[in-house]
Amino acid sequence: MSNTIIDTNFKFPGQKHVYKGKVREVYNINDQELVMIATDRLSAFDVVMPKGIPYKGQILNQIATKMMAATEDLVPNWLTATPDPNVAVGHLCEPFKVEMVIRGYMSGHAAREYKAGKRMLCGVPMPEGMQENDAFPEPIITPATKAEMGDHDEDISREDILAKGIVSEADYLVLEDYTRKLFKRGSEIAASRGLILVDTKYEFGKTKDGQIVLIDEIHTPDSSRYFYAEGYKERQAKGEAQKQLSKEFVRQWLISNNFQGLEGQTVPEMSDAYITSVSERYIELYENITGETFVKADVSDIQARIEANVLEYLK
């Protein structure tokens, strides 16, 4: 699919270095600000798929920037500008080396652990007698360590984070507070769109003046799981699978094709028709999550478009 952006290799004025994550590429400009480009790469089970998904980067970037605007009264964030549909610019931050995962429902990884007989997740107890996709009595925070490219994020408890000195106790209390506030607001936004915010993850960093801010993406289908609210209770009562709005459909397709990112497994071939269907699902996600019609950016030459827009901004 030529109308995607998989990799970038820009040379911006004042560029110090580039960090390439699973999906985003972050350019450090003069040790002052970061230019973050959301590519069309698709990652699942901590593995980047060989082909890109049209418009995925634009969708993630635009959802994240809208959600940051909708939560900045609660929690400060790193964002200062969006010069291109695929680009966010913000303050240079030192990221915390943990992802703050918060779960309102027992789904995904939590459900897989529960089925395996575990009743503790990241040091947090999970009640007996739950079925998959039930709501927890109250949301639980289950942090994960930030993995390097190609490695798997790993569950970690609050106690281990503090004992290992990964985050100071004072900072961790702020991270927990911000995580709960963001999840509450995200759940309210989702409810207004007929959705349930099931679980999500937040990443935080510190600015040069020591302020803790929200960084990276927020409430996107890559970082969050959504259910449709309509019919949720009926499906739970019948023990049926929930209707989801998240990247879970990609994970399920990979599992059905014998791939879970384990050693010796090969990523299944994604046909052009399948890639188009994934792109369409992402557009559906965007429109449901934001309540707005998705406007496709010009993808005739994405690299040139991004470069021109960023250079114009950096002037």
Side-chain angles (χ1 to χ4, degrees):
M1 304 294 260
S2 58
N3 57 338
T4 57
I5 183 163
I6 301 298
D7 193 28
T8 71
N9 195 22
F10 297 119
K11 295 283 183 283
F12 296 126
Q15 183 173 314
K16 294 283 187 182
H17 58 78
V18 186
Y19 166 77
K20 301 204 172 194
K22 290 174 195 134
V23 172
R24 288 169 176 74
E25 312 206 332
V26 185
Y27 289 77
N28 175 325
I29 309 297
N30 289 321
D31 286 331
Q32 292 297 323
E33 57 186 348
L34 299 175
V35 172
M36 183 152 70
I37 299 167
T39 71
D40 295 321
R41 293 198 293 264
L42 176 64
S43 141
F45 298 115
D46 295 317
V47 175
V48 175
M49 303 294 119
K51 294 179 181 176
I53 305 300
Y55 304 106
K56 178 176 175 284
Q58 178 190 348
I59 286 164
L60 293 191
N61 189 55
Q62 291 186 332
I63 292 175
T65 53
K66 284 174 192 294
M67 291 293 180
M68 285 202 174
T71 55
E72 62 189 359
D73 60 315
L74 291 177
V75 174
N77 64 59
W78 76 291
L79 190 68
T80 55
T82 50
D84 179 272
N86 285 63
V87 179
V89 179
H91 301 290
L92 176 74
C93 297
E94 180 66 37
F96 287 99
K97 290 186 166 57
V98 291
E99 292 182 342
M100 297 300 284
V101 181
I102 182 165
R103 305 174 185 278
Y105 293 73
M106 194 188 69
S107 300
H109 173 61
R112 288 190 281 273
E113 294 288 281
Y114 200 90
K115 273 183 187 159
K118 296 179 185 170
R119 293 296 179 267
M120 292 282 279
L121 188 59
C122 304
V124 182
M126 297 187 286
E128 286 291 346
M130 292 186 76
Q131 73 178 59
E132 187 170 355
N133 302 328
D134 277 352
F136 286 114
E138 60 181 62
I140 63 172
I141 292 177
T142 59
T145 55
K146 273 293 285 166
E148 295 299 316
M149 185 82 157
D151 291 335
H152 290 273
D153 296 342
E154 290 188 3
D155 292 344
I156 187 167
S157 68
R158 177 188 209 255
E159 291 70 28
D160 278 352
I161 289 168
L162 300 181
K164 292 177 179 176
I166 299 170
V167 181
S168 74
E169 185 162 14
D171 286 349
Y172 194 79
L173 289 172
V174 176
L175 300 189
E176 281 193 327
D177 178 52
Y178 281 175
T179 297
R180 292 194 188 282
K181 284 177 174 164
L182 288 167
F183 190 68
K184 185 171 184 290
R185 177 66 58 83
S187 299
E188 289 163 359
I189 294 169
S192 74
R193 312 258 191 261
L195 300 173
I196 294 168
L197 180 57
V198 177
D199 53 40
T200 191
K201 69 179 173 79
Y202 303 113
E203 296 187 41
F204 298 94
K206 254 190 191 176
T207 62
K208 286 191 164 183
D209 59 9
Q211 185 185 31
I212 295 176
V213 296
L214 175 66
I215 61 172
D216 202 46
E217 62 185 338
I218 163 179
H219 300 157
T220 71
D222 272 23
S223 66
S224 316
R225 192 187 318 269
Y226 291 91
F227 292 157
Y228 286 94
E230 189 181 345
Y232 165 80
K233 287 180 179 166
E234 291 77 4
R235 284 188 283 273
Q236 278 306 91
K238 293 176 185 168
E240 293 174 358
Q242 286 298 332
K243 198 174 168 204
Q244 292 212 19
L245 260 185
S246 72
K247 199 169 63 172
E248 187 65 22
F249 71 94
V250 175
R251 294 189 197 98
Q252 293 303 329
W253 181 83
L254 290 168
I255 289 169
S256 70
N257 283 277
N258 305 311
F259 183 81
Q260 289 189 64
L262 304 175
E263 214 172 306
Q265 293 183 337
T266 307
V267 178
E269 176 67 26
M270 290 187 171
S271 68
D272 285 354
Y274 181 70
I275 286 171
T276 299
S277 76
V278 175
S279 180
E280 286 166 356
R281 282 292 291 273
Y282 267 92
I283 291 171
E284 179 195 349
L285 291 165
Y286 174 94
E287 293 184 340
N288 278 279
I289 292 166
T290 65
E292 297 171 14
T293 301
F294 181 66
V295 179
K296 293 178 177 179
D298 176 6
V299 292
S300 54
D301 191 338
I302 307 174
Q303 299 264 2
R305 187 200 79 207
I306 289 175
E307 187 169 34
N309 285 335
V310 172
L311 289 174
E312 179 62 30
Y313 168 81
L314 291 175
K315 272 186 194 167

